[in-house]
Amino acid sequence: MVSPQTPETPSQLSSVPRIPVPRTCPFAPPAEYGRLRDTAPVTRAQLPGGQEVWAVSTFTDVRSLLVRPDVSSDPRRPGFPEPFPDAPTEEPGATEGPADPEEEAPLPQLFEMDPPQHTRYRRMLIPELTVKRVNELRPGIQQLVDRLIDDMLATGPETDLVPAFALPIPSMVICQLLGVAYDSHEFFQSRTEIVLSKTVTAEQRETAYLELYAFLDEVVSATESDPTDDILGRLVVKYRRTDELSHEMLVNTAVLLLLAGHETSANTIALGVLTFLEHPGQLRILLTEPAAAVSAADEMVRFHSLGDVDISRVATADFTLGGQTIHAGEGILPILSAANRDPQAFERPDEFDIRRPDSRHHVGFGYGPHQCLGQNLARAELEIAYRTLFTRIPSLRLAVPVDELDFKTDSQIFGLRSLPVTW
Ligand code: HEM
């Protein structure tokens, strides 16, 4: 059941608040995060496993935190937050973590690295996702979106917009960019869902991850023998052949791009369509004001901030933030969704307003050295998806009431599992 706002719960501010807090409203982050931001912007908070960390929730504090050189993104450091502990294993006595004790520790992903390692790998990827490169991709994205809408119109007048539109757009684009066959989409989408689930065991998550890894291992091996004109092919030519990038690290990067490249954008497209249907005034603006259609993508990312606490840090030195002393070794969770609704940074922060001036002024794509590498691509996908869908099917509407929709409350990234629409 969907309520307009998270109901008041007994104040969590009297003792150490507990985070993460589940969403109960599809159009707002948990009200508790707002209360933290307004009353205790840098505060101790307890995670589900009992670990205490710092929760940081104002826009200014989140941004200052994310550019500090004395905070680390490396989860192997003691004290690093674990906001989503794995569910207990089903078989009593079953071991958690790698099944084989001899197995080597997995390589870190880009978002888990610190400089200088992070800087080195990030530089390899930057040219692949610049505004210029993404502008070259726009006609192809437009064609793909049009084709999906043609199919919907040919089989309609109703469909589930998640499998018919929201998921295929970013999935097909990232497949093309990586040289991955799109007919594997059911495989990688289902494994991604397990990797991001909040309710699976360590074993289930690891199995899903290893299956994705094995799949991309084959793709990378094929690209190494015959480099194709795509991101992986260019990385092979530029960095594999000079050994600046190992085979394993290239596979790792491919896994990250495939995962990050489709899941968040797909959820933002689906929730975005729902948001426009629930805000007809904004929908009119989308269709009549070209500048607002461009800024709609950023406003959607700000408004929803789908991964509430999906980024974590740990202090590597003592420092003061928001009047509190954070000590080396203490975990920190910047709450992006709270920062993106901070009234000190945004006028009428709880309103969805695609005409918002300075629409990129948000932290929905993170901030600082790890700021989202795919943000230009995500912007293009969202802008083209919303504008084209509502222009071509102006009578689009929900086929079921909002409170019957299936929201992904069990995933680290909020979204919709299905979105039945008609026209
Ligand atoms: C609406 C869509 C998206 C949202 C909201 C989003 C959000 C984010 C956020 C918040 C971070 C920062 C992580 C941190 O600081 O620890 C991030 C990093 C990243 N994102 Fe995205 N993302 C989106 C789409 C994409 C796409 C389409 C791609 C790839 C094509 C992508 C690739 C990455 C990568 C590689 C990083 C790691 C960057 C680094 O650590 O240097 N993202 N994203």
Side-chain angles (χ1 to χ4, degrees):
M1 179 69 195
V2 170
S3 60
Q5 267 300 339
T6 305
E8 293 286 318
T9 55
S11 171
Q12 296 183 316
L13 303 180
S14 52
S15 58
V16 177
R18 287 163 192 270
I19 56 172
V21 180
R23 287 188 184 216
T24 53
C25 170
F27 303 111
E32 279 82 351
Y33 292 161
R35 276 200 289 275
L36 279 185
R37 181 194 59 228
D38 300 339
T39 57
V42 178
T43 189
R44 299 296 279 166
Q46 196 182 68
L47 300 181
Q51 183 191 6
E52 278 202 12
V53 297
W54 290 98
V56 177
S57 45
T58 68
F59 184 77
T60 308
D61 289 337
V62 163
R63 292 216 305 184
S64 357
L65 174 80
L66 292 176
V67 293
R68 292 193 71 94
D70 46 10
V71 299
S72 165
S73 293
D74 184 348
R76 294 163 301 181
R77 284 180 185 263
F80 197 84
E82 266 194 64
F84 302 109
D86 296 312
T89 39
E90 281 143 21
E91 298 163 42
T95 49
E96 294 202 355
D100 176 2
E102 299 284 297
E103 204 177 308
E104 282 179 35
L107 287 172
Q109 285 292 5
L110 188 68
F111 64 87
E112 300 171 328
M113 294 176 187
D114 292 327
Q117 190 191 27
H118 172 257
T119 322
R120 192 155 55 84
Y121 286 117
R122 187 171 164 109
R123 274 200 193 129
M124 297 181 188
L125 289 176
I126 286 174
E128 297 297 336
L129 293 157
T130 57
V131 173
K132 184 170 174 282
R133 181 61 60 84
V134 169
N135 280 344
E136 289 161 10
L137 298 174
R138 276 177 172 264
I141 301 175
Q142 182 67 60
Q143 263 180 14
L144 158 64
V145 169
D146 274 318
R147 190 153 43 81
L148 291 169
I149 296 175
D150 289 344
D151 292 347
M152 280 168 54
L153 290 171
T155 54
E158 60 177 68
T159 192
D160 180 350
L161 209 79
V162 171
F165 189 73
L167 251 179
I169 297 171
S171 304
M172 284 182 180
V173 171
I174 198 68
C175 278
Q176 195 200 334
L177 290 184
L178 294 175
V180 166
Y182 179 68
D183 59 15
S184 58
H185 69 103
E186 280 175 13
F187 162 77
F188 70 74
Q189 286 162 353
S190 63
R191 299 316 185 269
T192 302
E193 190 157 347
I194 298 172
V195 169
L196 292 174
S197 169
K198 289 194 276 194
T199 55
V200 295
T201 63
E203 213 175 6
Q204 288 167 321
R205 193 189 313 282
E206 186 175 299
T207 305
Y209 187 84
L210 290 177
E211 284 172 353
L212 276 172
Y213 188 95
F215 168 69
L216 283 155
D217 196 344
E218 276 185 30
V219 175
V220 167
S221 297
T223 313
E224 281 167 345
S225 352
D226 182 11
T228 30
D229 183 20
D230 49 42
I231 295 184
L232 296 183
R234 283 186 290 273
L235 289 174
V236 164
V237 173
K238 282 202 235 166
Y239 302 110
R240 266 299 290 130
R241 296 199 167 157
T242 57
D243 249 358
E244 286 168 86
L245 197 56
S246 68
H247 171 82
E248 292 71 23
M249 196 53 215
L250 183 53
V251 179
N252 232 22
T253 305
V255 174
L256 172 62
L257 290 174
L258 187 63
L259 241 94
H262 81 275
E263 180 66 19
T264 328
S265 301
N267 286 319
T268 312
I269 292 174
L271 269 182
V273 170
L274 174 64
T275 307
F276 275 116
L277 291 175
E278 293 293 297
H279 294 79
Q282 293 294 309
L283 181 50
R284 270 192 299 278
I285 297 173
L286 174 81
L287 296 178
T288 49
E289 295 182 20
V294 174
S295 53
D298 272 287
E299 174 63 353
M300 203 63 84
V301 172
R302 180 199 74 85
F303 188 70
H304 285 294
S305 305
L306 296 184
D308 285 333
V309 289
D310 66 338
I311 78 173
S312 301
R313 299 291 188 266
V314 62
T316 58
D318 297 355
F319 60 86
T320 304
L321 185 73
Q324 303 281 3
T325 304
I326 298 182
H327 294 102
E330 290 179 340
I332 315 166
L333 280 182
I335 305 182
L336 302 184
S337 61
N340 275 339
R341 299 282 184 115
D342 186 342
Q344 304 295 327
F346 303 97
E347 273 183 38
R348 301 165 287 103
D350 293 324
E351 272 179 40
F352 172 61
D353 175 7
I354 64 172
R355 276 188 185 139
R356 208 170 267 286
D358 202 4
S359 61
R360 293 192 176 190
H361 175 70
H362 64 80
V363 289
F365 287 121
Y367 192 68
H370 287 275
Q371 198 177 30
C372 180
L373 259 178
Q375 59 186 290
N376 302 316
L377 179 61
R379 283 190 183 102
E381 291 172 347
L382 302 184
E383 181 204 320
I384 295 172
Y386 302 142
R387 189 176 24 74
T388 314
L389 180 69
F390 287 112
T391 305
R392 290 197 54 195
I393 318 185
S395 62
L396 191 88
R397 59 192 187 278
L398 282 182
V400 298
V402 178
D403 59 6
E404 285 176 22
L405 291 173
D406 186 5
F407 290 97
K408 290 187 184 175
T409 46
D410 55 352
S411 174
Q412 295 178 31
I413 311 271
F414 187 67
L416 275 158
R417 204 152 265 122
S418 71
L419 183 61
V421 291
T422 185
W423 54 87

